[in-house]
């Protein structure tokens, strides 16, 4: 959209028109020369901390993202100063881009990276625990085989063996999780 120094909309493309208004509310021709803050933000005066006004004052580009402009959408907004040589006026070119899907994809990839890292960590922990756990189980079972049936420590060794068996199930679950999240290797030369 092209906005003059008085915040009047001078030109816009159809995408801006459809994004900024209810199509039944205004005709595309009626939209021109309306104040941007009226039609776009539903306000009677420029928005507080208006970036268009800031760009107009400073003559410098500005950009930001907002989730407040449209419900359920994240919009990247860029304001570019554009001097009108004939009239010595500074007009603003305001570019809006819906980045909702891009942000969602970025967040999804970040979550996938975290899960992959968690899978590696789980796999490493599981392998580190597995070796001493196997020794605990083996020694408990050997001691049980050599122990007399009436030995007072027999029940203690059975408890140690049962606890080690529970730990083994947990470790197998961690290893399964780690294998599930590991990416498949792809040979790009085939």
């Amino acid at each position: 959209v092209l906005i003059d120094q008085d915040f009047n909309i001078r030109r816009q493309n159809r995408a801006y028109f459809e994004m900024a208004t209810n199509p039944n509310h205004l005709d595309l021709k009626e939209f021109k020369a309306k104040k941007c803050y009226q039609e776009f933000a539903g306000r009677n005066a420029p928005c507080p901390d208006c970036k268009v006004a800031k760009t107009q004052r400073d003559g410098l580009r500005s950009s930001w993202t907002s989730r407040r402009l449209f419900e359920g959408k994240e919009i990247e907004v860029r304001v570019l100063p554009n001097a009108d040589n004939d009239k010595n006026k500074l007009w603003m070119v305001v570019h809006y881009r819906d980045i909702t899907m891009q942000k969602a994809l970025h967040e999804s990839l970040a979550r996938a990276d975290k899960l992959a890292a968690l899978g590696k960590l789980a796999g490493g922990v599981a392998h580190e625990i597995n070796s001493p756990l196997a020794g605990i189980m083996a020694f408990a079972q050997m001691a049980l085989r050599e122990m007399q049936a009436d030995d007072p420590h027999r029940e203690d060794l059975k408890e140690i063996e049962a606890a080690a068996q529970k730990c083994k199930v947990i470790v197998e679950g961690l290893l399964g999780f780690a294998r599930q999240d590991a990416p498949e290797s792809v040979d790009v030369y085939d």
Side-chain angles (χ1 to χ4, degrees), residues 5-147:
Q5 71 281 355
D6 297 320
F7 301 98
N8 294 312
I9 298 168
R10 294 300 180 176
R11 288 191 177 179
Q12 76 283 328
N13 63 15
R14 180 164 293 283
Y16 174 83
F17 172 74
E18 289 171 358
M19 189 184 325
T21 67
N22 175 349
N24 299 324
H25 175 244
L26 277 178
D27 182 286
L28 187 60
K29 292 175 186 164
E30 290 178 285
F31 195 62
K32 189 176 173 184
K34 298 286 184 179
K35 302 284 187 190
C36 66
Y37 53 80
Q38 288 173 331
E39 294 306 319
F40 196 62
R43 301 179 57 86
N44 293 325
C47 302
D49 195 32
C50 176
K51 304 286 195 234
V52 173
K54 183 180 182 326
T55 298
Q56 194 175 42
R57 279 190 312 272
D58 303 344
L60 301 173
R61 297 175 178 203
S62 64
S63 65
W64 70 98
T65 60
S66 175
R67 290 182 184 223
R68 294 183 300 167
L69 292 174
F70 302 103
E71 190 175 328
K73 291 186 179 185
E74 185 157 357
I75 305 294
E76 177 186 58
V77 184
R78 285 186 275 161
V79 181
L80 310 156
N82 186 19
D84 182 351
N85 294 334
D86 295 337
K87 300 174 185 168
N88 260 347
K89 294 179 182 177
L90 189 64
W91 289 22
M92 305 301 119
V93 176
V94 185
H95 180 258
Y96 298 87
R97 187 170 72 110
D98 185 351
I99 58 170
T100 308
M101 293 295 288
Q102 179 182 345
K103 285 287 192 172
L105 180 60
H106 179 73
E107 290 169 5
S108 177
L109 288 173
R111 278 192 301 276
D113 284 347
K114 286 179 185 177
L115 279 176
L118 184 60
K120 280 185 176 183
L121 177 65
V125 168
H127 282 294
E128 289 298 319
I129 292 174
N130 226 5
S131 294
L133 189 59
I136 292 169
M137 285 183 67
F139 285 120
Q141 289 168 352
M142 284 189 320
L144 279 170
R145 268 188 253 125
E146 295 174 5
M147 194 175 274

